[in-house]
């Protein structure tokens, strides 16, 4: 009997996971709450971790890189099992990431990127292809102008950039400029950061309009800034989506509604719903599996005209999850 019990105990020992879900301690350093996207991203991470039963230590860095760095160092001191973070900007992470690596804590990077060379310092990265988003926005514009018989016209573009030095700001600008470089009639005539915030987007758009320069197109690096800018456009007596062609990125419910209302001409999707992927990555790391270094989200474009295969915003609206 004793022998049988010993065998059963051994089988249980080998079959049991190294740690029960509620014993897995995960640290996540979030950027802040600058946009609807970020709020949805936080909700997605928190609810997926709660559902998985993880002990999540979540820090909102309130847009400050030094707060994110401090949170990451605190996670090392706590000895968490896995660390995740979305880097607010690309540079300045070398030291703290080296400390995480020295402590032997697996690192998941999501959404944004760092400029640390190589890919040995993290286990897995997942999120959106920001350069491709910029290209999609510009390609949509080129086709839209063609469809509306304006492809021969000199077009001036006002650009509202995201947080300076962040992956999406650098890459959305790069992708957009790469495409318009082949169309000499398209020029970015004014460009400033709106820090991915609706309020700053509005203020900057006000100053663009007050400059008196012609604005044919607004290219905003996220929808929050575009929707904020709409208020300035309306106060100037103009109609967004008609007097100014408007382009945003993210495709949250409010933006898709704005497309349906005809104020936003197009929104390029960037999904914040990364929580389930984060949980899956943590579980696979804890199980000793090897993960892909890079995974891009599958995303679409929403308008009312089906330009370049864009999906229809009216049909999409009831299905939006953030
Ligand atoms: O990194 C993703 C970007 O960050 C989203 O487009 C923006 O809305 C957010 O603040």
């Amino acid at each position: 009997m004793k022998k049988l019990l010993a065998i059963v105990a051994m089988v249980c020992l080998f079959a049991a996971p190294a740690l029960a879900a509620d014993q897995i301690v995960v640290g996540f350093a979030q950027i802040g709450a600058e946009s609807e996207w970020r709020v949805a991203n936080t909700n997605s991470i928190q609810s997926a971790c709660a559902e998985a039963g993880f002990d999540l230590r979540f820090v909102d860095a309130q847009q400050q890189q030094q707060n994110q760095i401090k949170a990451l160092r605190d996670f090392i001191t706590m000895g968490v099992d896995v660390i995740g973070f979305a880097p607010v900007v690309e540079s300045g992470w070398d030291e703290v990431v080296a400390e995480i690596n020295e402590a032997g804590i697996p690192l998941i990077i999501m959404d944004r990127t760092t400029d640390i060379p190589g890919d040995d310092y993290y286990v897995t990265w997942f999120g959106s292809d920001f350069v491709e988003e910029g290209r999609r926005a510009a390609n949509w514009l080129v086709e839209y102008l063609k469809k509306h018989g304006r492809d021969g016209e000199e077009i001036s573009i006002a650009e509202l950039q995201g947080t300076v030095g962040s992956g999406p700001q650098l890459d959305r600008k790069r992708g957009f400029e790469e495409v318009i470089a082949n169309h000499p009639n398209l020029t970015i005539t004014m460009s400033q950061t709106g820090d991915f915030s609706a309020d700053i987007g509005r203020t900057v758009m006000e100053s663009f309009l007050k400059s008196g320069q012609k604005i044919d197109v607004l290219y905003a690096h996220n929808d929050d800034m575009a929707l904020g800018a709409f208020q300035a456009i309306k106060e100037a007596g103009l109609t967004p989506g008609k007097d100014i062609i408007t382009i945003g990125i993210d495709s949250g419910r409010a933006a898709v509604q704005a497309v349906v209302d005809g104020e936003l001409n197009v929104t390029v999707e960037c999904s914040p719903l990364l929580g389930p992927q984060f949980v899956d990555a943590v579980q696979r790391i804890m199980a000793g599996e090897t993960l892909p270094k890079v995974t891009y989200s599958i995303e679409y474009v929403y308008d009312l005209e089906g330009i370049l295969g864009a999906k229809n915003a009216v049909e999409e609206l009831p299905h939006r999850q953030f």
Side-chain angles (χ1 to χ4, degrees), residues 14-37:
F14 286 121
L19 275 181
D22 63 354
Q23 292 173 308
I24 298 176
V25 184
V26 180
F28 192 89
Q30 179 60 288
I31 292 171
E34 74 280 7
S35 61
E36 292 297 325
W37 190 102

Side-chain angles (χ1 to χ4, degrees), residues 34-35 37-38 111-112 130 168 172 196 221-222 250 270:
E34 74 280 7
S35 61
W37 190 102
R38 189 65 51 197
D111 163 33
R112 297 193 180 175
F130 298 134
R172 287 171 183 168
F196 285 127
H221 288 193
N222 81 349
D250 282 351
C270 175

Side-chain angles (χ1 to χ4, degrees), residues 31-39 41 63 86-88 110-113 128 130 133 162-163 166-169 172 195-197 221-225 249-251 268-272 274 322:
I31 292 171
E34 74 280 7
S35 61
E36 292 297 325
W37 190 102
R38 189 65 51 197
V39 173
N41 182 244
Q63 254 52 55
V88 60
M110 68 143 79
D111 163 33
R112 297 193 180 175
T113 41
S128 301
F130 298 134
E133 289 170 352
T163 303
S166 69
Q169 177 262 330
R172 287 171 183 168
D195 212 9
F196 285 127
S197 127
H221 288 193
N222 81 349
D223 291 325
D224 290 59
M225 293 188 292
I249 296 180
D250 282 351
S251 309
V268 176
E269 188 173 36
C270 175
S271 175
L274 301 172
F322 79 102

Side-chain angles (χ1 to χ4, degrees), residues 212-224:
Q213 291 185 68
K214 174 170 100 88
I215 302 176
D216 299 299
V217 176
L218 166 66
Y219 168 45
H221 288 193
N222 81 349
D223 291 325
D224 290 59

